[in-house]
Amino acid sequence: METLWFCVIALLWLGYLFLEGFDFGVGMLLPFLGRDNTERRVMINTIGPVWDGNEVWLLVAGGATFAAFPGWYAALFSAAYLPLTLFLLALIGRGVAFEYRGKVDSERWRKVWDVVIFVGSWVAALGVGLVISTTVIGLPIDAAGDRVGSPFAAIRPETLLGALAIAGYALVHGAIFVSLKTEGEIRERARRMALTMAPVALLPLVGLLLYVAGFWALPVLLFAGLALWRLWAGREGQAFAFMGLAVAATVTVLFASLYPNVLPSTLDPAYSLTVAGAASSPYTLTVMTWVAAFGTPAVLVYQGWTYWVFRKRIGVRHIPVH
């Protein structure tokens, strides 16, 4: 049962990275792809109906970790408290900006909230990369599961590489998504940008996977290459799907390299938190399994329906002129 919930949590992180990854990317690219307010509104509208639903995956991943592996949750969230706080503040800022950007008909007002979206998206993408790479690479924790060192112990060259890896992936994923969801000039601009920046933006992801798992980075490279090939051919839907396979391979490689640990100790492998040692009681895991069995299909159907309803492309002609 412990292994099952370890896999479930990995799947939840996969869903979060795939879905929230592209809307992080849209925010990160907002001032570069959107040349005026109308184009920026087009970009924001591509994720407007879905961004809050995407964040549900993070809440469920955190809640599942807390319930299934309280030792893992306590050690990671206390040891990386400051980076996690910045990450959550960035998410809050983005959410507020999406809601308030259009409340006042003022260019200055909109520019302020555009900056909040831009900065919040970058900080959030870097933050989630830092958290995931910290989980996989480990922390200086002692035999009691307590952090040894400063509050910034989670910030090291390896975890910073992880932060850049997820941010780079989000940039490419977001550009492909904008190309998939828009029409006209902004579509072509997003397509060109994804093809141009991908070789550099994805380098940190390749570096992280090589550091963690060696040649197991090859499947990720293959799927990313296929995504760019299909994007070059003008098949954005196929490119988006291949980027999904790339992030699925990434999560699989990272969590497979982590197992049977849930949080390695960089001080002594004997201090590492394991799947068995950090898990809740069998009764708790059984109850969680039954709840998930009934609740998950409903959530997936509802979210899938949302994407289906808002599946069409949008462009500047859909934005009303005041």
Side-chain angles (χ1 to χ4, degrees):
M1 195 68 77
E2 296 92 346
T3 299
L4 171 64
W5 274 97
F6 177 83
C7 294
V8 169
I9 290 170
L11 183 63
L12 291 170
W13 276 111
L14 165 59
Y16 181 67
L17 288 175
F18 176 65
L19 296 174
E20 190 86 309
F22 68 73
D23 73 44
F24 281 160
V26 172
M28 295 160 76
L29 293 168
L30 190 63
F32 306 112
L33 283 177
R35 293 182 174 175
D36 55 35
N37 177 58
T38 302
E39 291 189 346
R40 288 190 289 274
R41 283 187 64 187
V42 170
M43 292 180 64
I44 292 171
N45 286 357
T46 63
I47 59 173
V50 299
W51 69 267
D52 48 355
N54 294 343
E55 291 188 353
V56 170
W57 289 79
L58 175 66
L59 299 176
V60 177
T65 304
F66 172 77
F69 299 98
W72 181 8
Y73 182 94
L76 176 63
F77 280 64
S78 60
Y81 181 79
L82 290 179
L84 280 166
T85 300
L86 291 175
F87 167 57
L88 294 175
L89 288 174
L91 290 180
I92 293 170
R94 288 177 80 246
V96 172
F98 286 138
E99 297 296 333
Y100 277 80
R101 183 184 186 275
K103 297 297 185 183
V104 177
D105 188 15
S106 164
E107 190 64 24
R108 181 177 180 182
W109 172 270
R110 287 189 289 265
K111 284 182 178 179
V112 169
W113 291 115
D114 286 346
V115 170
V116 174
I117 293 172
F118 172 70
V119 174
S121 298
W122 271 99
V123 172
L126 290 167
V128 72
L130 185 73
V131 170
I132 292 176
S133 57
T134 298
T135 298
V136 174
I137 296 170
L139 278 167
I141 53 178
D142 58 22
D146 297 326
R147 182 197 69 230
V148 175
S150 75
F152 298 97
I155 302 177
R156 309 189 305 279
E158 312 94 285
T159 56
L160 289 175
L161 177 65
L164 292 173
I166 298 303
Y169 150 75
L171 276 173
V172 178
H173 198 36
I176 293 175
F177 180 77
V178 172
S179 182
L180 172 66
K181 287 290 294 176
T182 59
E183 60 182 33
E185 185 180 347
I186 191 170
R187 173 189 177 187
E188 291 303 317
R189 198 182 306 141
R191 177 175 166 271
R192 290 194 302 268
M193 182 172 288
L195 291 169
T196 301
M197 70 182 176
V200 175
L202 295 177
L203 274 180
L205 181 62
V206 175
L208 174 68
L209 293 171
L210 288 173
Y211 176 81
V212 171
F215 74 92
W216 288 108
L218 292 178
V220 178
L221 280 172
L222 173 63
F223 289 132
L226 289 171
L228 296 178
W229 170 53
R230 299 317 295 156
L231 184 64
W232 178 80
R235 305 304 296 267
E236 291 99 337
Q238 295 177 14
F240 188 72
F242 277 122
M243 280 304 293
L245 291 175
V247 75
T250 297
V251 172
T252 300
V253 168
L254 292 177
F255 277 82
S257 66
L258 176 62
Y259 188 84
N261 295 322
V262 291
L263 187 62
S265 171
T266 57
L267 297 179
D268 188 333
Y271 300 157
S272 299
L273 300 181
T274 64
V275 169
S280 293
S281 67
Y283 176 78
T284 300
L285 296 178
T286 301
V287 171
M288 290 176 62
T289 302
W290 280 106
V291 172
F294 286 98
T296 303
V299 173
L300 292 176
V301 168
Y302 174 76
Q303 195 161 28
W305 175 80
T306 303
Y307 277 92
W308 176 256
V309 169
F310 296 100
R311 67 189 181 278
K312 293 183 179 180
R313 295 179 183 270
I314 62 173
V316 295
R317 65 188 179 92
H318 299 107
I319 304 299
V321 178
H322 296 288

